[in-house]
Amino acid sequence: MNHLMSKQQNSTDFAAKNWQQQLAEAFSTIEDLCDFLNLSPEDLPASVIASKAFPLRVPLSFAACMEKGNPYDPLLRQVLPIEDELFAYPGFCDDPVGDLPATAQAGVIHKYYGRVLLINTGSCAINCRYCFRRNFPYADLQLSKQKQAAAIDYIKADTSISEVIFSGGDPLLLSDARLANLIEQLDGIAHVKRIRLHSRLPIVLPARITDEFIALLTQSSKQIIMVTHCNHANELSADTIRASHALKRHGVTLFNQAVLLSGVNDNAQILCNLSEALFAQGIIPYYLHLLDKATGTGHFEVSKTQALALMEDIRAQLPGYLVPKLVEECPGATSKQSVD
Ligand SMILES: *Cc1c(COP(=O)(O)O)cnc(C)c1O
Ligand code: SF4
């Protein structure tokens, strides 16, 4: 009850600000975040050293979904830099998904048949501690405005490409003008049928889903798909519901991908609640990823055996369309691999 009330109160605090302001005011230090949550950093395994390698970044709209005073909050665990990140785990490395060798040219990753990824920006609105990109030199590879023409030519020249995926970083950090321009260019390519956006913003910074943004999507002649990234039902709020409904109402197909994370969602009930809550706001649970083994993320790992047991529990409780596919990313593979 208290939790709900504080959430509503916070929600009115930031609701008046536009998404750019909210982004600029995101928490960037352990102290400020802990203050907001009524926690003291000494009660946590928080690590300033870990935050130097990969900074803390959390929008207020996401922090407002955390339970105040709870050091084990599953949303806090996703964003708080901790000492475990500094330990070396065997088998963990800097480019676990093989994106570097799959980079066709600046900003273009062509590793899945029929689909290309455009890396439009290296940054995100939130820094997730388990991220496979945390050690990746995206700043060097991203598609600058200047290199965009070459990327469009690459897509034009390959008629096997039927889907263009805006990835990142987070593509929704681009301005509406940049996104509109990219979509307009792709509209001119007949063999591209679908444009897909992979973004965590509809969940962590739902103010990004403005009427203007939706209008630029609906102007496209292509089918538009949004793949959100939500790991726990507590990440959803009145604001994420508003954003999802607006997208859905305008014909955007919504899927979610989650990552299976120790201490966050490695529990059948939590995963069932997630599927139910997503579907209630119009999002279909699509993928449940095994962790990509990036340096600094070993403490989030859930074993394959445990993951398969969880899937069995979920299948016993939910209709098939609410059961996500358990998958893993294997370097060099031309598609995601299902785990069974
Ligand atoms: C897996 C993956 C894709 C491709 O997704 P499919 O739905 O399997 O086509 C695109 N982008 C990222 C970042 C992915 O991890
Ligand atoms: S790429 Fe996705 S998982 Fe990684 S930090 Fe950005 S939002 Fe989080």
Side-chain angles (χ1 to χ4, degrees):
M1 184 65 188
N2 275 338
H3 177 40
L4 271 181
M5 281 171 57
S6 69
K7 212 164 171 175
Q8 274 161 10
Q9 194 167 0
N10 287 319
S11 161
T12 50
D13 290 346
F14 57 76
K17 298 186 175 169
N18 68 28
W19 70 271
Q20 291 94 338
Q21 282 172 303
Q22 291 187 35
L23 187 65
E25 292 170 13
F27 290 107
S28 59
T29 68
I30 294 170
E31 292 69 35
D32 288 351
L33 180 61
C34 285
D35 262 6
F36 172 75
L37 294 172
N38 304 329
L39 287 169
S40 100
E42 296 81 59
D43 298 341
L44 301 163
S47 165
V48 174
I49 301 173
S51 77
K52 287 201 169 115
F54 182 53
L56 177 144
R57 189 173 208 198
V58 191
L60 178 55
S61 46
F62 188 80
C65 293
M66 296 175 190
E67 188 189 354
K68 292 207 172 175
N70 180 4
Y72 304 106
D73 182 88
L75 278 54
L76 178 61
R77 180 160 167 88
Q78 294 179 53
V79 297
L80 185 74
I82 61 171
E83 285 154 10
D84 286 8
E85 294 176 30
L86 309 171
F87 306 152
Y89 286 78
F92 284 68
C93 66
D94 283 354
D95 180 21
V97 303
D99 272 358
L100 275 178
T103 299
Q105 62 186 59
V108 181
I109 295 181
H110 197 178
K111 66 176 173 180
Y112 306 112
Y113 182 81
R115 290 148 288 171
V116 290
L117 270 72
L118 294 183
I119 305 301
N120 296 294
T121 163
S123 49
C124 292
I126 186 166
N127 282 345
C128 312
R129 309 313 299 178
Y130 54 85
C131 183
F132 73 92
R133 297 182 167 110
R134 52 178 293 157
N135 317 300
F136 199 73
Y138 271 92
D140 306 340
L141 291 176
Q142 66 182 278
L143 192 61
S144 61
K145 221 171 173 173
Q146 294 74 22
K147 291 172 189 153
Q148 187 175 310
I152 297 292
D153 285 344
Y154 180 91
I155 296 165
K156 260 188 202 150
D158 186 342
T159 55
S160 76
I161 298 170
S162 55
E163 180 162 350
V164 176
I165 302 172
F166 294 4
S167 190
D170 200 306
L172 292 198
L173 284 191
L174 294 182
S175 68
D176 284 353
R178 267 299 297 285
L179 286 169
N181 179 264
L182 261 171
I183 291 174
E184 202 179 295
Q185 306 259 333
L186 294 171
D187 268 342
I189 307 176
H191 58 264
V192 173
K193 306 289 179 226
R194 296 176 299 278
I195 297 174
R196 186 181 344 166
L197 297 102
H198 276 220
S199 175
R200 193 142 160 62
L201 267 71
I203 307 298
V204 304
L205 192 66
R208 175 67 184 94
I209 310 303
T210 59
D211 293 345
E212 294 75 19
F213 168 70
I214 289 175
L216 79 86
L217 295 183
T218 54
Q219 275 155 22
S220 169
S221 59
K222 310 297 184 190
Q223 283 185 293
I224 309 279
I225 300 156
M226 177 84 75
V227 180
T228 62
H229 172 180
C230 175
N231 301 315
H232 194 291
N234 290 2
E235 294 171 40
L236 303 173
S237 65
D239 296 318
T240 66
I241 291 173
R242 184 201 54 79
S244 303
H245 284 176
L247 288 164
K248 203 172 156 137
R249 205 166 47 242
H250 290 87
V252 177
T253 303
L254 297 172
F255 294 115
N256 184 67
Q257 52 180 350
V259 183
L260 184 57
L261 300 166
S262 173
V264 174
N265 59 10
D266 54 338
N267 165 293
Q269 206 47 56
I270 289 174
L271 290 170
C272 288
N273 292 345
L274 173 61
S275 278
E276 294 274 6
L278 286 166
F279 193 73
Q281 68 170 66
I283 306 176
I284 296 174
Y286 178 36
Y287 278 150
L288 179 62
H289 289 256
L290 291 184
L291 182 73
D292 294 316
K293 298 187 175 194
T295 309
T297 67
H299 55 290
F300 282 114
E301 194 178 21
V302 176
S303 73
K304 233 178 236 191
T305 317
Q306 200 192 335
L308 288 169
L310 282 169
M311 289 305 294
E312 203 162 310
D313 283 355
I314 299 168
R315 242 179 254 117
Q317 294 186 53
L318 292 178
Y321 60 87
L322 290 187
V323 179
K325 291 187 190 112
L326 182 67
V327 291
E328 69 182 326
E329 185 76 28
C330 301
T334 55
S335 73
K336 201 99 42 206
Q337 306 295 296
S338 69
V339 179
D340 36 37

